[in-house]
């Protein structure tokens, strides 16, 4: 029995050694691991659609170093809710440029349908082996679209302990983002005006700086199980408004404000004001992940608890189960997410309470962006992957996403934020080149 | 402060328990499989992070870097 066990361990050891010395995984500097994909994302009701081709390529270099490169192109079209809510009458809004307008039918949630953009994002990571047990990864990212540019650098140090069964990680990332909205920066909490009127603007562009710290531990538990725990601290300083989001201003009857400064005929002001968020935010998260190998199948589970000083907390559960078929695999996916509302999230602004008769908003901050509301998201997905040769794989996945705003209990049903339903379709082809 | 204390406690407990866990080098056959990586589906994860970043108020946790966007 003992001999059989030793023989088994010897063959395992030989297998591992052979695997380590195989050309595909050794630092030969001659082969790229390439993963290419095309993603289609489509929301219902004429909302956002996206087409995203992406390619990732990584290659081992000499002395244990490695380089990883990625390119993503993101073409977006469609409509997105502007923050005002549905009323029993048609509503007309001015486009961000101020040169046009769009009208929402009575009973429909107002959406800005002038939204279209193409984003190009590139990134590179260089991993250096500092010594036998430690590595440093330096990264750079650039993402650019019509009204937004993001430039970031990052560094992650990882050191193995305990016979390489424990890895401690520390990371730091800095991002500098430039926001240059169509038509300029809306003046915070000031009214939207009618088409071709002088816009309430406060400059052309602004910036924000994002700093993220991370410490983590990864532990091999046994031959079939690995766990990871990360703690992240993020600080964001600068412009954090969505420049295209507004809030409805209503009178005590619940109708859109139409008197005084909101008398559109005499002032040119519409009964909507641009949102305002704090210019600083501290974000924290605790993240746990485990991967476990059953006889053939693999389960990948993660949980994240998040909290910040905008009073938002969230819980994210993510589970993927890889059923190994003969050659191919099938991977169901379920993700559940719930968040509380930002402290300044509000459905509307009430004239006389939140807004005085001169049109001054009496709140420090206000936003009706549905993404800052109490909400939950459920994702169900399925992926199928099949090997196409020794080092290549073709895979396809389909996912359905439903996002529901859950704090509309005090809001009339006609004004409630509609559910967001989205479908994701993706095809991947990975190969060694 | 209570949250920070909890995090410190988790790290201490995790760290102190780590030395008794693990495998020998020749027992890493399953751990060496791609499906046993913490993030085996790189582009899937990349797309998902982007989608949920643009639709939810909270993000991150897995690592640092990756870049931002003005997603609507």
């Amino acid at each position: 029995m003992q001999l059989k066990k030793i023989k088994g361990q010897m063959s395992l050891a030989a297998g591992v050694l052979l695997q380590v010395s195989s050309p595909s995984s050794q630092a030969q500097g001659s082969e790229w691991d390439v993963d290419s994909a095309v993603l289609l994302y489509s929301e219902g009701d004429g909302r956002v659609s996206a087409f995203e081709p992406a390619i990732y390529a990584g290659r081992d270099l000499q002395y244990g170093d490695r380089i990883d490169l990625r390119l993503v192109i993101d073409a977006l079209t469609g409509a997105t809710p502007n923050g005002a809510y549905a009323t029993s009458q048609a509503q007309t809004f001015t486009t961000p440029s101020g040169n046009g307008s769009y009208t929402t039918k009575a009973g429909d949630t107002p959406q800005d349908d002038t939204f279209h953009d193409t984003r190009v994002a590139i990134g590179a990571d260089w991993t250096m082996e500092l010594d036998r047990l430690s590595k440093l990864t330096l990264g750079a990212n650039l993402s650019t679209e019509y009204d937004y540019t993001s430039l970031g650098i990052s560094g992650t140090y990882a050191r193995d302990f305990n016979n390489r069964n424990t890895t401690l990680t520390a990371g730091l990332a800095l991002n500098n983002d430039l926001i240059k909205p169509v038509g300029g920066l809306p003046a915070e909490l000031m009214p939207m005006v009618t088409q071709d009127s002088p816009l309430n603007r406060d400059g052309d562009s602004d910036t924000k700086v994002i700093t993220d710290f991370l410490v983590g531990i990864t532990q091999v538990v046994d031959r079939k199980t690995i766990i990871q725990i990360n703690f992240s601290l993020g600080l964001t300083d600068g412009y954090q408004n969505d420049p295209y989001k507004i809030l409805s201003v209503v009178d005590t009857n619940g109708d859109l404000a139409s008197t005084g400064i909101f008398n559109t005929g005499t002032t040119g002001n519409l009964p909507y004001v641009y949102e305002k968020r704090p210019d600083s935010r501290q974000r924290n998260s605790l993240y746990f992940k485990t991967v476990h190998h059953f006889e053939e199948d693999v389960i990948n589970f993660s949980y994240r608890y998040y909290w910040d000083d905008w009073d938002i907390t969230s819980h994210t559960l993510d589970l993927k189960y890889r059923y190994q078929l003969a050659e191919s695999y099938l991977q169901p996916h379920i993700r559940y997410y719930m968040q509380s509302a930002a402290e300044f999230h509000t459905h509307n602004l009430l004239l006389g309470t939140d807004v005085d008769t001169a049109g001054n908003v009496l709140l420090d901050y206000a936003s009706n962006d549905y993404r800052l509301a109490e909400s939950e998201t459920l994702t169900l997905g399925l992926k199928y992957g099949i090997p196409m040769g020794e080092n290549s794989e073709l895979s396809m996945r389909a996912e359905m996403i439903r996002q529901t705003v859950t704090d509309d209990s005090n809001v009339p049903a006609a004004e409630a934020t509609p559910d967001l339903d989205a479908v994701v379709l993706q095809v991947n082809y990975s190969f060694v080149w | 402060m209570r949250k920070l204390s909890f995090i410190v406690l988790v790290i201490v407990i995790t760290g102190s328990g780590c030395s008794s866990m693990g495998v020998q080098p020749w027992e890493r056959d399953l751990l060496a499989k791609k499906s046993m990586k913490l993030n085996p589906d790189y582009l899937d994860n990349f797309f998902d992070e982007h989608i949920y970043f643009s639709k939810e108020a909270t993000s991150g946790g897995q690592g640092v870097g990756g870049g931002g966007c003005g997603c609507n």
Side-chain angles (χ1 to χ4, degrees):
Chain A
M1 190 67 189
Q2 186 65 20
L3 269 175
K4 197 172 178 182
K5 190 179 173 189
I6 291 169
K7 190 179 169 188
Q9 289 187 339
M10 288 288 281
S11 42
L12 264 178
V16 170
L17 286 171
L18 282 171
Q19 193 171 30
V20 165
S21 61
S22 72
S24 61
S25 60
Q26 185 56 288
Q28 296 295 307
S30 59
E31 291 178 327
W32 289 89
D33 300 317
V34 182
D35 193 5
S36 58
V38 173
L39 175 134
L40 292 171
Y41 171 88
S42 179
E43 297 175 357
D45 300 328
R47 289 175 65 170
V48 174
S49 292
F51 172 72
E52 292 190 45
I55 188 161
Y56 153 83
R59 177 180 183 173
D60 290 329
L61 305 171
Q62 286 186 315
Y63 313 116
D65 291 5
R66 182 176 174 83
I67 188 166
D68 294 283
L69 307 169
R70 58 195 164 269
L71 166 69
V72 182
I73 297 170
D74 190 1
L76 296 150
T77 57
T80 186
N82 66 9
Y85 58 78
T87 65
S88 56
Q89 287 145 6
Q91 300 180 75
T92 299
F93 303 90
T94 304
T95 55
S97 68
N99 301 328
S101 64
Y102 57 97
T103 299
T104 300
K105 287 191 296 184
D108 284 359
T109 299
Q111 303 191 75
D112 181 353
D113 58 5
T114 60
F115 167 59
H116 58 90
D117 208 344
T118 300
R119 185 176 76 102
V120 178
I122 55 172
D125 292 329
W126 188 293
T127 302
M128 291 170 279
E129 193 168 272
L130 301 180
D131 59 44
R132 199 175 60 84
L133 296 173
S134 58
K135 287 182 176 177
L136 176 67
T137 301
L138 299 177
N141 294 282
L142 172 67
S143 169
T144 180
E145 53 203 287
Y146 184 76
D147 55 359
Y148 201 97
T149 304
S150 174
L151 183 63
I153 54 172
S154 61
T156 303
Y157 174 77
R159 181 174 168 80
D160 294 334
F161 295 90
N162 183 26
N163 207 16
R164 288 189 186 270
N165 286 300
T166 307
T167 305
L168 293 180
T169 305
L172 170 67
L174 294 169
N175 255 71
N176 197 330
D177 292 6
L178 173 69
I179 305 100
K180 196 174 180 182
V182 175
L185 291 172
E188 296 170 326
L189 302 177
M190 293 291 285
M192 173 184 272
V193 296
T194 52
Q195 179 183 349
D196 296 326
S197 295
L199 298 171
N200 282 317
R201 290 293 185 254
D202 189 14
D204 289 333
S205 64
D206 207 339
T207 59
K208 69 178 171 194
V209 175
I210 305 159
T211 310
D212 286 303
F213 305 93
L214 177 141
V215 288
I217 183 167
T218 304
Q219 176 66 41
V220 174
V221 177
D222 56 33
R223 187 169 155 255
K224 293 183 171 182
T225 313
I226 186 165
I227 59 171
Q228 180 184 46
I229 299 173
N230 291 338
F231 169 69
S232 304
L233 169 67
L235 304 167
T236 307
D237 281 300
Y239 188 85
Q240 297 183 62
N241 300 339
D242 184 325
Y244 307 120
K245 291 283 190 279
I246 54 177
L247 297 104
S248 302
V249 181
V250 298
D251 60 25
T252 48
N253 297 322
D255 299 321
L256 288 171
S258 58
T259 58
I261 196 169
F262 294 107
N263 184 333
T264 307
T266 56
T267 64
N269 292 330
L270 296 166
Y272 317 104
V273 298
Y274 293 103
E275 68 157 42
K276 182 183 180 185
R277 307 181 188 190
D279 60 7
S280 72
R281 186 180 186 187
Q282 181 184 316
R283 300 165 282 108
N284 313 271
S285 71
L286 198 56
Y287 178 85
F288 169 81
K289 178 176 259 192
T290 184
V291 186
H292 180 76
H293 201 292
F294 294 100
E295 198 61 37
E296 295 289 339
D297 304 339
V298 176
I299 191 169
N300 188 313
F301 170 79
S302 69
Y303 167 73
R304 182 188 68 197
Y305 174 63
Y306 170 101
W307 69 102
D308 67 25
D309 62 358
W310 287 5
D311 221 16
I312 301 174
T313 58
S314 74
H315 301 271
T316 312
L317 295 157
D318 192 289
L319 177 69
K320 289 174 181 157
Y321 190 93
R322 180 177 162 130
Y323 286 103
Q324 191 63 45
L325 306 172
E327 290 287 323
S328 55
Y329 66 89
L330 206 54
Q331 183 171 275
H333 174 214
I334 182 167
R335 177 184 184 272
Y336 177 72
Y337 170 87
M338 60 182 294
Q339 71 176 42
S340 63
E343 60 186 349
F344 52 86
H345 178 264
T346 180
H347 180 57
N348 57 28
L349 296 175
L350 187 59
L351 197 60
T353 304
D354 303 322
V355 187
D356 67 18
T357 51
N360 300 309
V361 176
L362 306 175
L363 302 174
D364 291 333
Y365 309 105
S367 173
N368 188 33
D369 187 342
Y370 72 94
R371 294 169 297 186
L372 298 175
E374 181 185 292
S375 66
E376 59 186 28
T377 311
L378 178 65
T379 304
L380 297 173
L382 187 63
K383 179 174 182 175
Y384 176 71
I386 182 165
M388 302 295 286
E390 193 182 347
N391 288 314
S392 62
E393 180 185 295
L394 178 68
S395 63
M396 290 142 273
R397 73 165 176 152
E399 307 225 309
M400 291 184 302
I401 302 170
R402 167 161 285 194
Q403 186 174 34
T404 307
V405 172
T406 50
D407 67 353
D408 274 344
S409 53
N410 296 322
V411 171
E415 299 175 10
T417 308
D419 289 352
L420 167 71
D421 288 306
V423 173
V424 174
L425 298 172
Q426 184 185 326
V427 177
N428 279 56
Y429 181 61
S430 60
F431 56 97
V432 172
W433 182 53
Chain B
M1 196 61 201
R2 284 176 60 192
K3 282 173 181 167
L4 274 178
S5 307
F6 174 72
I7 291 161
V8 170
L9 186 67
V10 167
I11 290 171
V12 168
I13 291 172
T14 309
S16 60
C18 286
S19 57
S20 60
M21 298 179 189
V23 296
Q24 297 300 320
W26 55 87
E27 295 176 313
R28 288 180 177 268
D29 55 330
L30 297 178
L31 296 167
K33 291 168 71 172
K34 187 191 170 201
S35 58
M36 283 298 287
K37 283 185 173 182
L38 287 163
N39 182 14
D41 306 311
Y42 181 87
L43 284 180
D44 294 14
N45 191 60
F46 190 85
F47 284 132
D48 286 351
E49 287 278 294
H50 179 52
I51 291 169
Y52 297 118
F53 173 82
S54 63
K55 294 293 158 195
E56 297 169 347
T58 70
S59 61
Q62 294 189 52
V64 296
C69 74
C71 312
N72 292 300

